[in-house]
Amino acid sequence: MSVEKLKEKHRLLAQFQYIPGKVEKGYANRTLYVNLSENRIAEKPVSQEMKEKFIGGRGFGLKLLWDGVTGNTKWDDPENEIIIAPGPIAGITQYPGAGKSYVVSLSPLTHTVIDSNVGGYFGSLLKFSGFDALEIQGKAEQDVIVFIDGVNGTVAIEEASQAVVNSHILVEQLTEMYAANEEDKVNVSVVSTGAAAEHTLIGMLNFSFYDKRRKAVRIKQAGRGGIGTVFRNKKIKALVVRGPRIKGDLNHPADKTLLDKAGIKLHKEIATLDNSQNKMRIGGTTYLTKIMNDYDILPVNNFKFGSHPAANNIASDAFIKYFNLTGHDGCWYGCTLSCAKAINAFELKTGPYKGQKVLVDGPEYETVAGVGSVCGIFDPEYIIENNFYCDTYGIDTISFGTIMAFLMECYENGIINKEITGGLELNFGNGEAAMEVLHQMARGEGFGKIAGLGVRRLKKLFVEEYGADPAFLEDIGMEVKGLEYSIYLPKESLAQQGGYGLTNKGPQHDEAWLIFMDMVNNQIPTFEDKAEALHYFPMFRTWFSLNGLCKLPWNDIVPANNRTTAEPAKIPEHVQNYVDLFNGVTGMNITKEDLITQSERVYNFQRVFNLRMGFGTREHDQVPYRSMGPVTVEEYESRQERYDKQLKEKVGFDPEGKTTEEKIAVLRKYREDQYQKLCDAVYKRRGWTENAVPKLETLERLGMDFPEVVEVVKKYL
Amino acid sequence: MIKVNGEDFPWEEGLTVKKLLEKKGYTFPTIVVLINGLSVPENEYVSTIIPDGADVKAIHLVAGG
Ligand code: SF4
């Protein structure tokens, strides 16, 4: 069907008119509310207090969601919301990495609040269309598209039952449909998911941008926590924004010279140093695979091991061969780090689009290791194909990989068998079988539908249905809080075990990534050092999510003289850039210490939000033993020299003449005890009780002692 | 014996920074090396000999995810 015909089939359900207005000092000063049950659209003012306490982005998402739900709301209740918010710095074009959106919702995987960050143009175009956030509540009766026309000042809910679901087709169609002409396509961005988001709990959202040079629509992913599943549960096919043409001053910053200055400095650094540092402009984040493998922290075979001889097959060079570098690889204007790589005309070998040549966005490191090494698969073409299908089907590659790896280990241990998998031989390394599971997820049938429940629910199912040993599954099932692990092996870094466990949303490394500081550099040897790092870095990184920023230009490129600074791990010069950006946009006058306080407010609020939903206490910060140490004899013996040495030197236990089982038990006791001590130290540093609950004095210090927040916390004190 | 990032490591005659990094498997491109608190420029890794008993820091500035 032609795009015109498809458009004719859209039936207008509701329309709202507004005056587009102007963004002032980074804020549009209102948010957009869409209720799909009632076909109601409204705008809400943004108060000064909301800006001061929640800043924007994830902060706004949390605040709006808190107001929209109760402690009893379930992820699939109509009152659950999906909120997309950029943040005050988002949309500037002077400094790399300033176009991120943050998505907040109640997660089908964790049953509490989740946040996920994503590139693409949607968030900034939304702001320049007049809104600091889009808040969607309710459930439509039929599939709908929400269209925000920021040029003409209208918002519409349109019934769109005929539109396809899978993203690679839908984003092209909708860009064509809603752009006034070819020139206008860069001003249109689409949020969509795919067929598998309907049948699994690991659905993600694609955010598009138009790549003028390739003349193609590109997509970036808000992967974590199943927000795509919520999206389809609300019967949303897509959100579309059409904004004004982007110019460097649309935020009306208070002092543009601060942005210009910081931007020029960083562009220069990237131009002169990227080639000798991470080569992000050529290979994106794929450079990480080799490093992780060299240092024994590349997850292999469900996080059993940290390296593999075949890992070179999926190192950066293997993908650079496929990357086509003639396009536009910044996921927002002005990002010269341009790590958003793409593969043109990749011929698919499986599935409904078999034989077609498609554009594949990525893969990034997380996908390479997630669908690759962690499943024991070291074939770049499999990884590219899996990446494409995960994207178009609306599946998070990280959760997919970690689930498949868990299933493969269960299969190899006889916990599940061919009868249960519908004939699939799910051994490590079997890419063909893993791909079939993915296609089944999209079709909503067979073992794929079961796999799509996620590791936490699979553990329960295998115990209840197939008599699996619950203790073993708890040890090897790589999830915390219901969210699957992202793809780094934390076994030898206590701080990173905490970086995964002591998070608000679950084991996603965007809060803290401390493996090298801890395990290799030994820079944070004491519990207090680790606790300080697990305070500072999560707070610092949270700040990106409040402002619409990408983390990568902070430390994936560093100034030449960074090594001589007092705290190289913090990249002090870049921290100052961020302070300047914030002050330059908003006209405020914050310091680098204020930046941490801003994050602390939102971070503590999110912890309380978890408590309100029935989670958030110490027991929910506990991690599977696989992330702390060797579960099996095979694992221990593969690194026997290392573990024996630690037993002797750290535990004071002589491994001579002991069985591997005995040694595993002693090491386990020691490491589990270390983790508890780490929890104590971190909670203390964060101003929380031993049960991980923010103390009243902490909330008071931060000015977050709102009555409804205190009411939640008091129940736990 | 020397210390590398706080842990004991066997010393040998003629041990250069380059050799030490190889022995440790430190392949990362941007490592800051300090011997007894003094920074060693990268172009001197081949020629700088580490004395016995030295306190060596090999700080990896790895960004990570
Ligand atoms: S560094 Fe990469 S992910 Fe971050 S904004 Fe730039 S292109 Fe996007």
Side-chain angles (χ1 to χ4, degrees), chain A residues 561-611:
Chain A
N561 66 353
N562 186 60
R563 55 166 63 201
T564 60
T565 59
E567 295 179 290
K570 292 184 179 173
I571 331 284
E573 188 177 316
H574 289 181
V575 174
Q576 187 55 45
N577 288 351
Y578 291 116
V579 170
D580 291 344
L581 293 184
F582 188 82
N583 290 338
V585 170
T586 64
M588 288 171 69
N589 190 20
I590 65 159
T591 62
K592 63 182 197 300
E593 289 78 21
D594 296 333
L595 180 156
I596 298 299
T597 310
Q598 288 182 336
S599 291
E600 269 188 283
R601 290 192 183 110
V602 175
Y603 195 88
N604 278 274
F605 183 78
Q606 190 164 350
R607 188 47 68 157
V608 179
F609 206 148
N610 281 338
L611 293 168

Side-chain angles (χ1 to χ4, degrees), chain A residues 97-98 100 220 280 329-332 335 337-340 550 552-553:
Chain A
K100 290 275 180 176
K220 302 299 291 175
M280 298 275 283
D329 291 341
C331 72
W332 175 248
C335 190
L337 206 49
S338 53
C339 79
C550 172
L552 300 176

Side-chain angles (χ1 to χ4, degrees), chain A residues 182-240:
Chain A
E182 179 66 26
E183 278 296 290
D184 193 37
K185 285 184 181 172
V186 288
N187 307 318
V188 171
S189 177
V190 178
V191 178
S192 63
T193 182
E198 289 171 24
H199 309 299
T200 68
L201 302 181
I202 57 171
M204 60 71 171
L205 295 177
N206 288 301
F207 279 53
S208 81
F209 67 99
Y210 188 68
D211 183 335
K212 250 164 100 171
R213 287 193 219 143
R214 286 193 176 87
K215 294 206 177 312
V217 182
R218 308 278 307 277
I219 43 179
K220 302 299 291 175
Q221 292 73 39
R224 304 311 326 264
I227 307 176
T229 302
V230 182
F231 196 81
R232 286 304 292 144
N233 186 264
K234 292 187 175 303
K235 290 199 180 292
I236 308 171
K237 276 260 171 74
L239 311 170
V240 184

